[in-house]
Structure formats: C-alpha cells, structure tokens
Amino acid sequence: MNGSTLMERAVASSEDARWMEVAVALGRRGLGRTAPNPPVGAVLVAPGLSGGFVVGRGWTQPGGRPHAESRALAWAGEAARGATLYVTLEPCSHYGRTPPCADGLIEAGVARVVAAMADPDPRVNGRGIARLRESGVLVSVGVGAADAARLNAGHVARVALGRPHVTLKLAVSPDGKAGLAGRRPVAITGEMVRARVHMMRAEADAIMVGVGTVLADDPSLTCRLPGLEDRSPARVVLDADLRTPLRARIVRTAREVPTWIVTGEDAPADAERRLAEAGVQVMRVERCPGGRPELLPALKLLAMRGVTRLMVEGGPILAGALLRADVVDAATVLTGPVPLGEDAIDAVDGLPLTAITEGPRFRGVARERIGDDIWADYERA
C-alpha cells in the first residue's frame, strides 16, 4: 500500500469521526423522548472540499417516529443521492409503523453508510447492514462506537437484558452521608449542580425513588428547567405496602405527569383504589424475603411499559438494594462541601460508598468541579 493511499484513509477516518460526533449530538436531542425506540442521530454529507457539506440531518422524534434516517432523507431530498449517511445505530430493516430505513436509503441513492454500531434488536441485528451492502451501498461500522453505546445504552439494556438501563444518582457529603439523623432531608449540593440534575431528569424515560424518600422529602421529581418543563419523566415509587399518602406532591400531580407505584402483590386493595382515583397507576410484583418488591421483576415491568433509561434518585435503602442486586449500570455521585457528621444517614444502606467510587464493578469516566461541588460519573467496568 503506497503512502498516498494511507494518507487518504487517515483523512477519511478523521472525517468520519468528526461527522459521527455531529450525529451523536443530534441523537442526544431525543433522550427521554423516544422510548421505547432508541434516540438515533443521523447526518447526510455530500462530497466536497474540506470533508464535504451537510445536506440533511435528523434525530428520532418524540414517541419514536419518524426515525432519524427518514428525517435526514426528507431534509436532503435529491441531494441525498451520492451522499454519505452518518448514523448512530444500524438502520432498521423491518416493517413496523413505517417502512424500513435501509430501503429508504437505497431508494434515495445514498452511496455510503457509516453506522456507529449494529442494532442488537433481533428484528434488525445486522440485517439492515446486509441489505445495504447487497444493494451496492458501502457500509462501515464502528466509528464512534463508544459514544454511540452510551447514547443507545437504554435500547441495548431493554433488548439484551429485558430491563432499563439504570443510572443511580447520589448526592453525598464529603463524609459519605446523604441525610441528617432521623432521615431529615438536607441540601447537599449547590444550585448549578441541581440544575444539571434536572437535565438528567429530562433525558430519562422514568425516575425512581423508594417510598421512604416520598415520606421524608415529598419530592415533585419533575424537570423544572425553563422551557423543559414538558420533559419530566414518568415517576416511579417502590412502595411495598402502598404507604404513599394522597397528599404527596407526586399523587396530587399524577394527572399531569405519569406516576406509577410498584407494590407488593398483596398490598391493600383500598389503598390502590384511592391512588387510582387520583390518577396513579399501581403495578404489583412479588415480594423479596425482606418484604420489599422484587427489583428485577419491577424493572422488567418498566421495560414492558417502554422504559429504556431509568434514573434512580433515592434513597439510601433503594440504592443499596439495587447495588446488591447488581442492576446498576451507571452512577453519578455529587459531592457537596459540608460534612454532615457521624450521626447522619449513610449514602448507601449497608454498603460503603467506595463500592461505587473505588470498587472493581465501576470505573470513573468523568470528574469535574462545579462551584463548590464535585460531579463524578461512573459506569460498569
């Protein structure tokens, strides 16, 4: 292979990576809005100087339709012919509510497709790539795979594991505490971090807490960022005996934001009826030996309802149970500047915080200071 060919491939590789970054950024616009479909991003690039120019772009629309590829094709029109499509997930090859995206790309005359990763959905799983190649479309797979895997983590977990991707969010003091003695709530982090947490909520399909958090904090669990109020995820409470009071904020607003309670199979029917009359949906699962709802059946129930990305905000008992069940896929640990003292409540019930921050199960992927607080992200090792 001569030097000029190697140089051409290196340039092509760097341009592919640059355009895939654009596709990933577009895909992130759909986070929290496309379930049960994945939040795909796509950009069509026509050949030209300096790596080409954009002729179409798209991302999966709310509710999962239209797909990113069809949006990009509609944008480009005739300019799609001879262009390269950069897409964060393999184009679909099956008929659903819309025709296969792979067929649309072939009919539009797209010359090349660069997909960040194959789709693990058994209805696709390489068939889209094969259909494109059989029709003479050049296909590359793997550019930007790590970023795409994070973007599509909810879709992959739901397809491969039958449950949502679970992100545990913990606000802790420097001495590893999450609340004052007596389970009294306390503000641990500053306003800048709390605003960013609301963005995390906007990018989740559902947010989960234990009933202890509802009783202690009476949270709203909504996204309150200006302009994003309609991005609040469904709210899920694990409540084995239906102790959630009718006066709780999540119950009083259940007709505005979907509110689900997962309870024990033998929880009081009268309590369920009153909650249902307020707009809450009650789901029953078997209990674990300790009396709490079994976690894996609860998570599978959420997946059946289309939840792909689940954010867990509290409290320490639920955090400990999820970690012991080994169903936490990622964790965000937010550390404030003020110690709470020896009598305060541990951030994780029955486990040290180092099970996340220093243990073999997770690896740190990002860490930054935001005002007086520290934001650290971890994912499965």
Side-chain angles (χ1 to χ4, degrees):
M1 186 179 294
N2 61 42
S4 61
T5 303
L6 285 171
M7 181 63 72
E8 287 170 3
R9 288 200 171 186
V11 170
S13 176
S14 66
E15 290 300 331
D16 286 350
R18 179 168 73 93
W19 288 120
M20 188 60 74
E21 288 177 3
V22 175
V24 169
L26 290 170
R28 288 191 64 85
R29 297 187 180 192
L31 284 172
R33 309 193 75 185
T34 66
N37 283 12
V40 177
V43 58
L44 272 166
V45 179
L49 298 175
S50 302
F53 57 94
V54 174
V55 294
R57 60 193 181 104
W59 56 93
T60 310
Q61 295 300 291
R65 297 289 193 281
H67 287 183
E69 298 95 322
S70 61
R71 293 279 291 186
L73 289 172
W75 185 311
E78 286 299 317
R81 190 163 300 279
T84 295
L85 176 78
Y86 295 89
V87 63
T88 57
L89 190 67
E90 174 185 3
C92 66
S93 56
H94 63 285
Y95 281 87
R97 287 185 291 168
T98 56
C101 289
D103 287 359
L105 295 168
I106 294 165
E107 292 169 7
V110 171
R112 181 174 178 240
V113 171
V114 181
M117 59 183 286
D119 189 343
D121 188 325
R123 296 172 298 176
V124 186
N125 199 17
R127 292 183 180 88
I129 292 168
R131 184 175 296 187
L132 291 167
R133 285 176 172 159
E134 289 166 1
S135 298
V137 179
L138 298 175
V139 180
S140 300
V141 182
V143 176
D147 288 339
R150 293 188 180 97
L151 178 65
N152 294 310
H155 173 64
V156 173
R158 184 170 180 263
V159 169
L161 304 175
R163 64 166 177 83
H165 179 273
V166 177
T167 297
L168 178 63
K169 189 276 296 183
L170 297 172
V172 305
S173 61
D175 49 354
K177 306 295 182 177
L180 298 174
R183 298 200 176 276
R184 290 174 294 146
V186 60
I188 292 177
T189 57
E191 286 297 327
M192 287 189 291
V193 162
R194 286 197 287 272
R196 192 154 152 185
V197 167
H198 280 267
M199 192 66 218
M200 286 181 67
R201 291 179 179 179
E203 293 182 343
D205 299 330
I207 182 170
M208 177 186 281
V209 297
V211 67
T213 296
V214 174
L215 296 173
D217 299 354
D218 192 21
S220 297
L221 302 178
T222 54
C223 175
R224 296 189 290 279
L225 293 176
L228 295 180
E229 294 88 352
D230 64 339
R231 298 282 296 270
S232 293
R235 302 170 299 189
V236 183
V237 182
L238 284 185
D239 180 0
D241 299 302
L242 293 181
R243 294 188 292 147
T244 300
L246 295 177
R247 66 178 182 277
R249 290 178 183 173
I250 59 169
V251 175
R252 289 187 281 114
T253 58
R255 299 193 188 280
E256 302 164 21
V257 180
T259 304
W260 306 335
I261 294 181
V262 180
T263 190
E265 54 192 354
D266 57 348
D270 286 348
E272 178 179 355
R273 177 181 52 78
R274 289 190 292 269
L275 289 164
E277 288 172 351
V280 175
Q281 296 183 50
V282 177
M283 300 175 279
R284 294 175 180 267
V285 297
E286 59 267 34
R287 295 175 185 262
C288 64
R292 292 189 293 270
E294 284 278 11
L295 287 174
L296 194 54
L299 293 175
K300 288 182 179 294
L301 201 56
L302 296 181
M304 289 173 61
R305 288 186 164 233
V307 175
T308 68
R309 301 175 70 94
L310 178 67
M311 177 182 176
V312 179
E313 283 213 41
I317 293 175
L318 178 56
L322 289 166
L323 286 166
R324 282 189 289 273
D326 196 23
V327 292
V328 176
D329 301 297
T332 295
V333 179
L334 314 174
T335 305
V338 181
L340 296 183
E342 198 170 307
D343 294 334
I345 304 300
D346 289 337
V348 181
D349 183 66
L351 288 172
L353 187 60
T354 53
I356 297 172
T357 60
E358 298 177 18
R361 193 184 307 175
F362 299 96
R363 63 180 178 187
V365 293
R367 182 182 177 89
E368 62 180 301
R369 179 171 290 278
I370 303 175
D372 294 327
D373 306 317
I374 295 175
W375 181 296
D377 289 320
Y378 301 84
E379 63 184 18
R380 275 185 180 267

